Amino acid sequence: MKDVKVLLGDITKSDCDCIVNAANKTLLGGGGVDGAIHRAAGPELLDECMGLGGCNTGEAKITKGYKLKAKYIIHTVGPVYSGSSDDAVILGNCYKNSLDLAKKYDLHSIAFPAVSTGVYGYPPELATSIAVDAVRKWKEDNAGYLMRVDFYCFSERIYAQYVLTLRNTKY
């Protein structure tokens, strides 16, 4: 897929216009990528998040990037994996709504973590397929809009799954 890359590394170091935070509903920080982003961005992020009133699962909200290279952080809340078909729809919405919000702010590069694959328990082979499909569909629906998408992976296992998923995806 054009303008889509898979990277193994620290999303907080991304040089994109915005990075996506796999947040919890409170948006007040937590473990995993959420905690790492809050620590790297600095205490001003928590202050701004306190005024947002949280975020529903599958939706997205935006804040400044503060001490990050990225100008903005888009916070999205992925589903806790239950095996229900609703999980896939909600996870796909995390990617679609984040991309829609980035476009609304005229941003042209975005870095995604592997939403819901950590403590939320989403199987990586399913989550990466949903993520890649959601990005592919969004890029088709917004063909005139230039958007670079980087999938940042926190482990070799997730990285390998994204590479395999992208290789097996037909465009």
Side-chain angles (χ1 to χ4, degrees):
M1 190 172 2
K2 187 178 177 193
D3 296 324
V4 175
K5 293 189 296 187
V6 180
L7 303 159
L8 181 62
D10 182 350
I11 195 170
T12 67
K13 307 264 194 279
S14 173
D15 198 14
C16 287
D17 294 335
C18 65
I19 66 171
V20 176
N21 181 15
N24 61 48
K25 287 183 179 185
T26 69
L27 302 182
L28 302 181
V33 72
D34 190 13
I37 289 171
H38 272 266
R39 285 189 298 277
E44 298 87 358
L45 176 59
L46 179 59
D47 292 342
E48 185 175 357
C49 285
M50 290 175 87
L52 293 178
C55 185
N56 291 323
T57 307
E59 295 181 3
K61 293 192 176 181
I62 194 166
T63 61
K64 294 176 188 169
Y66 298 101
K67 294 178 182 174
L68 299 173
K69 287 182 185 177
K71 187 174 181 180
Y72 293 98
I73 303 165
I74 294 177
H75 307 265
T76 191
V77 181
V80 174
Y81 184 70
S82 70
S84 158
S85 60
D86 290 344
D87 293 344
V89 172
I90 294 166
L91 184 57
N93 284 341
C94 289
Y95 289 90
K96 179 196 177 302
N97 291 333
S98 295
L99 287 161
D100 286 345
L101 194 52
K103 182 179 178 184
K104 179 180 177 182
Y105 278 75
D106 195 32
L107 306 176
H108 294 276
S109 58
I110 188 168
F112 282 103
V115 177
S116 285
T117 61
V119 296
Y120 284 13
Y122 220 108
E125 59 278 2
L126 299 177
T128 57
S129 179
I130 292 163
V132 168
D133 197 49
V135 168
R136 178 195 52 77
K137 183 170 182 349
W138 188 90
K139 285 175 117 0
E140 286 173 359
D141 292 346
N142 295 272
Y145 192 82
L146 179 63
M147 178 68 76
R148 187 185 93 219
V149 176
D150 293 343
F151 289 112
Y152 267 81
C153 304
F154 61 89
S155 74
E156 299 258 351
R157 178 177 175 231
I158 300 289
Y159 175 83
Q161 189 61 55
Y162 265 107
V163 169
L164 180 65
T165 301
L166 280 168
R167 188 179 305 134
N168 293 332
T169 301
K170 304 291 182 223
Y171 294 100

